[in-house]
Amino acid sequence: MTDSNAEEVPLDPSVEYEIGQDNIQTSLGPFGLDIHNPVFFVSGLGTVAFVLITLMFPEAATTVFGSIRSWLTTNFDWFFLIAGNIFVIFCLLLIVTPLGSVRLGGKDATPDYSYIGWFAMLFAAGMGIGLMFFGVAEPLSHYGSSVAEGAGGPDSWAPLAGAAGDPEAAARLGMAATIFHWGLHPWAMYAVVALALAFFSYNRGLPLSIRSAFYPIFGNAVWGPVGHTIDIVAVFATLFGLATSLGFGAEQAIAGLNFLFGTPQTDAAKVILIAGITAVALFSVLRGLDGGVKIASEMNMVLAFILFMFVLFVGPTALLLSGFGASIAAYLTELPALSNPIGRTDDNFRQGWTAFYWAWWISWSPFVGMFIARVSRGRSVREFLVCVLLIPSLVCTLWMAVFGGTAIYEAQLGVETLLEAPTELKLFTMLAELPLAGITSFIGIILVIVFFITSSDSGSLVIDTITAGGKTDGPLPQRVFWCIFEGLVAIALLLGGGLAALQAMSVATGFPFAILLVLMCVAIWIGLSAERRGTNL
């Protein structure tokens, strides 16, 4: 993969690039699949085996999934918190050092997109099923754990427990905790992967694959078993991170359908819903990137904007706008306490919320990172990091401030059903207190479903790219395979333990990839330093 605008860096192609190509070469196999040595076979067969075993032994799977999550978050919550801090500090360090002046694609490279177009795509990357599922649920849960009877319960962040009896303090601290989980830390994780993929592909001519980022550390070993292992871990992390999001989406969509139309919330209904949505996603895959996912994404952005503006202007507008600034101030004030891994007593909050979130974001990072990398050529590292950290973080904060702020305002007015509603139903319960509830709730369901479709389609492309050795034009049957099995994994996890199983597999795959992300920071530093000197890696 080369760039006509890229600066010629004095590499040794016969040692670096050609060896890479020889060892990650692809071959057309059965059913038209573009087989990338062991990566496709291991990850593909592993996925098939996981689905079959989970569906055959759902009760045993439930026990195993629960044990996995509990063991990892209990014993390694400190690692997730420290790793998250490392990613934020690393990105900030690159911004202020001379390495930030390195341009992705070479010093003469020009951006492929205008600022407006680029910001729009970063905005799109920041939107997803997670914001629909947690946009109301998380701020309200933190608020409720403080003001409800039994304040300071097992899920409470310690300062929230101390805010019992003070609704304003509870709202402020609840928003701070929410933004912490959706602000700088997750976007630093995405930025690390995106920067590594963009730099080593555009500046060093390596394939657009996760293994390429580790060339400065492992050298030519990345084209052998070491690299295969890295890519396989990335595939499983992406697959289960996506399955978690798809599972959340299915739970919320079926809850919304039950809320509006009385659709039964049974396992069979969830399976039918996921199968139907996966079929639509498959149609999107067959239509291609421009004819499928692009149209769906544009429709989703319009619907999300309409719903956002409706809640903003029909809800307590002045309170929400002032709350946006107050929420950012609260987040920055409480950031040191929230990110501190030492001497904490709020174990369930730290493990059940933060450690899970960090694992989920890390498992999503190959997916979001590759998308960001593909639209960011021509930006300087400094420009890239400032925008990737700030733009999506502000979008997520604004969304949470409006939807979560409206829900908290309604709860303060005495709408007890909001605090009592299941997590997947809180969005619809909040909308029910506003005008045109039937219409807005239906739009919310459509948003969740279309986010499901675009995530499945885009995820198929990313996993296909990794398993095909960095090729972005792999054969259609391979993307079809991954699209189908993303849906099957989500079904298997829902039947094998529900949301707890989804969260368990995100943590299980996010943990090893977190280790790789820490090493990736080292590789990026080495690569950027070599670029500044104009030398080989």
Side-chain angles (χ1 to χ4, degrees):
M1 181 171 296
T2 59
D3 174 17
S4 59
N5 292 323
E7 178 186 11
E8 291 296 328
V9 181
L11 303 175
D12 184 350
S14 65
V15 174
E16 184 169 316
Y17 184 69
E18 289 184 4
I19 287 180
Q21 283 295 93
D22 289 343
N23 283 276
I24 65 167
Q25 62 184 340
T26 56
S27 58
L28 210 59
F31 310 108
L33 298 177
D34 195 359
I35 301 168
H36 167 212
N37 282 337
V39 174
F40 179 82
F41 278 124
V42 173
S43 53
L45 291 177
T47 301
V48 173
F50 174 86
V51 169
L52 292 176
I53 292 171
T54 303
L55 292 177
M56 289 171 62
F57 307 102
E59 293 183 3
T62 300
T63 303
V64 170
F65 293 145
S67 300
I68 288 173
R69 177 181 174 177
S70 176
W71 186 79
L72 282 172
T73 55
T74 299
N75 292 283
F76 293 99
D77 56 318
W78 59 271
F79 172 73
F80 283 115
L81 264 72
I82 291 174
N85 294 338
I86 287 173
F87 303 139
V88 173
I89 293 170
F90 176 71
C91 289
L92 295 177
L93 193 62
L94 288 181
I95 289 172
V96 300
T97 62
L99 296 181
S101 63
V102 172
R103 188 165 296 277
L104 299 176
K107 66 179 182 180
D108 296 324
T110 57
D112 293 334
Y113 301 95
S114 67
Y115 270 117
I116 294 177
W118 189 45
F119 288 163
M121 284 182 279
L122 293 180
F123 175 83
M127 298 291 289
I129 292 172
L131 283 182
M132 296 296 296
F133 193 88
F134 289 106
V136 169
E138 185 173 357
L140 200 60
S141 295
H142 295 323
Y143 172 80
S145 70
S146 178
V147 300
E149 184 178 355
D155 291 329
S156 294
W157 174 41
L160 271 170
D166 186 347
E168 291 186 7
R172 179 178 62 83
L173 293 170
M175 288 304 303
T178 300
I179 297 170
F180 172 61
H181 292 145
W182 293 82
L184 293 177
H185 280 73
W187 286 99
M189 299 168 193
Y190 298 153
V192 167
V193 177
L195 178 59
L197 289 170
F199 173 75
F200 289 105
S201 177
Y202 301 147
N203 293 65
R204 293 285 164 164
L206 299 181
L208 189 66
S209 189
I210 302 297
R211 70 173 68 200
S212 297
F214 295 89
Y215 185 86
I217 298 176
F218 298 115
N220 290 327
V222 298
W223 314 126
V226 171
H228 299 329
T229 302
I230 290 170
D231 278 351
I232 290 168
V233 171
V235 168
F236 283 126
T238 305
L239 182 65
F240 287 109
L242 277 167
T244 299
S245 294
L246 302 184
F248 281 142
E251 289 278 4
Q252 189 173 29
I254 203 71
L257 290 171
N258 174 265
F259 184 76
L260 283 181
F261 308 113
T263 304
Q265 290 181 270
T266 61
D267 286 342
K270 295 173 186 176
V271 170
I272 292 171
L273 180 67
I274 294 177
I277 296 174
T278 300
V280 177
L282 188 58
F283 176 74
S284 180
V285 167
L286 296 173
R287 290 265 299 175
L289 189 62
D290 290 335
V293 68
K294 181 181 177 182
I295 294 174
S297 296
E298 291 172 349
M299 182 180 77
N300 232 26
M301 296 309 299
V302 172
L303 287 176
F305 181 74
I306 291 172
L307 185 61
F308 172 83
M309 295 302 290
F310 176 83
V311 175
L312 174 62
F313 288 107
V314 174
T317 307
L319 181 66
L320 297 179
L321 292 176
S322 63
F324 173 61
S327 296
I328 293 176
Y331 162 62
L332 295 176
T333 301
E334 303 296 337
L335 183 57
L338 284 161
S339 58
N340 172 37
I342 301 171
R344 300 267 294 265
T345 58
D346 46 5
D347 289 350
N348 284 349
F349 174 83
R350 190 175 68 256
Q351 295 163 7
W353 284 97
T354 305
F356 160 67
Y357 265 129
W358 279 196
W360 188 20
W361 302 146
I362 288 169
S363 68
W364 257 70
S365 60
F367 171 38
V368 180
M370 189 169 291
F371 171 81
I372 295 174
R374 291 178 65 178
V375 301
S376 299
R377 180 172 11 203
R379 306 290 175 185
S380 72
V381 170
R382 182 174 296 111
E383 177 186 22
F384 171 86
L385 289 174
V386 168
C387 293
V388 170
L389 287 181
L390 291 184
I391 301 300
S393 293
L394 288 173
V395 170
C396 291
T397 300
L398 186 59
W399 184 276
M400 294 291 186
V402 169
F403 282 76
T406 300
I408 291 173
Y409 172 76
E410 292 175 357
Q412 290 175 340
L413 291 180
V415 183
E416 296 181 1
T417 53
L418 267 169
L419 296 176
E420 298 168 355
T423 302
E424 62 271 17
L425 200 57
K426 288 187 184 296
L427 169 66
F428 305 107
T429 308
M430 181 273 287
L431 292 173
E433 299 299 317
L434 301 176
L436 305 176
I439 296 174
T440 56
S441 295
F442 186 72
I443 290 175
I445 295 171
I446 297 299
L447 273 170
V448 171
I449 291 174
V450 181
F451 274 132
F452 193 137
I453 294 168
T454 55
S455 295
S456 181
D457 191 359
S458 302
S460 303
L461 176 61
V462 169
I463 296 175
D464 179 41
T465 300
I466 296 172
T467 57
K471 293 176 64 177
T472 58
D473 57 349
L476 190 60
Q478 195 155 297
R479 284 183 65 189
V480 169
F481 171 86
W482 288 117
C483 181
I484 292 172
F485 271 88
E486 283 163 14
L488 289 176
V489 167
I491 289 173
L493 287 172
L494 279 176
L495 297 180
L499 294 181
L502 293 165
Q503 294 173 358
M505 291 312 297
S506 276
V507 173
T509 53
F511 177 71
F513 203 70
I515 299 172
L516 292 178
L517 249 65
V518 173
L519 292 177
M520 196 177 285
C521 293
V522 177
I524 291 171
W525 189 273
I526 294 172
L528 291 176
S529 299
E531 182 86 354
R532 285 270 300 172
R533 296 191 304 266
T535 61
N536 280 334
L537 297 173

